[in-house]
Amino acid sequence: VTRFIIAWLVLFCATACTGFKTPAYSTLTAMVGATDLARQQLPAQCEKAQTGAVTKATTEAEARASTSLIQKRCDAGLAGIEATGQTIRAARDGISDTAAALNDPHVLTWAKGAVDAYRNLQQLLATLDVKLPTMPGGT
Amino acid sequence: MDPITVAGLVAASAAEILKLVGEAVETSRAGNESAALAKLDQALSQFEASIPGTRHELDAVKARIEQQIRDKFPPPTEGTPV
């Protein structure tokens, strides 16, 4: 019985104390999900913002200037969404290709790249009233 | 690998227990990792495939906004004082 308890203590520690790739993959999956939600909201939010600008404008030049500015932000938003996906894929490939533990500096660099891309996108989309959830995993 | 049973663990030596536990951890870890990776790959593929569609949606929005501007500010017709 003592050996059984020791065995399960070893099993518990091996599971809880070592860095596995699984949590990193789950966090990246959550980031993809959140970024995809932003992608789904983007066209409707862009249309809403531009329709409001047209309604508010008193001249054609004013309408064109303000809608053009919003369109540029929308295009940048989609480019940012796409770039975030690419960074997440790079992190996925980096983590998958290495046998190192998750505290390996290279893995941290890949993960940081994905997190930075996500945060930049969060700020960009906020200007279009598209709310990207807080960083999945709470980091 | 044989399944770990209470009777088996009690009968086994310390070295055998560690070996069995090590194998069990490795199997569980590999299984979890592979399932998590498959889920991530599926989400990423679907996400990447949806980007061109969103680009088309933004183009459609652009066209509708252009129409709204034309409707609100129609070009002056001949004979209309500017």
Side-chain angles (χ1 to χ4, degrees), chain A residues 89-109:
Chain A
R89 181 168 282 288
R92 170 249 181 262
D93 291 344
I95 293 168
S96 154
D97 288 347
T98 184
L102 281 180
N103 57 3
D104 182 293
H106 292 100
V107 176
L108 288 180
T109 304

Side-chain angles (χ1 to χ4, degrees), chain A residues 3-4 7 11 20 22 29 36 39 43 47 50-51 54-55 57-59 64 71 81-82 89 92, chain B residues 9-10 12-13 17 25 29 32-33 40-41 43 47-48 50 54-55 57 62 64-66 68 72-73:
Chain A
R3 272 189 282 179
F4 174 75
L11 177 66
F20 292 158
T22 309
T29 305
D36 194 51
R39 178 195 64 74
E47 186 155 18
Q50 289 182 87
T51 300
V54 173
T55 307
T58 51
T59 65
R64 289 199 181 282
Q71 269 172 22
I81 285 170
E82 197 173 7
R89 181 168 282 288
R92 170 249 181 262
Chain B
L9 281 169
V10 170
S13 70
I17 287 175
V25 169
R29 171 183 167 174
N32 286 343
E33 271 178 26
L40 171 59
D41 281 344
F47 169 78
E48 287 164 348
S50 65
T54 308
R55 193 164 287 126
E57 278 183 61
K62 218 172 273 185
R64 286 198 292 274
I65 295 299
E66 175 62 31
Q68 280 183 29
K72 184 168 178 181
F73 306 102

Side-chain angles (χ1 to χ4, degrees), chain A residues 28-46:
Chain A
L28 291 177
T29 305
M31 283 168 70
V32 174
T35 310
D36 194 51
L37 276 178
R39 178 195 64 74
Q40 289 170 31
Q41 290 175 44
L42 189 68
Q45 287 301 118
C46 286

Side-chain angles (χ1 to χ4, degrees), chain A residues 3-4 7-8, chain B residues 4-13 16-17 20-21:
Chain A
R3 272 189 282 179
F4 174 75
W8 281 106
Chain B
I4 297 177
T5 61
V6 176
L9 281 169
V10 170
S13 70
E16 283 169 338
I17 287 175
L20 284 172
V21 168

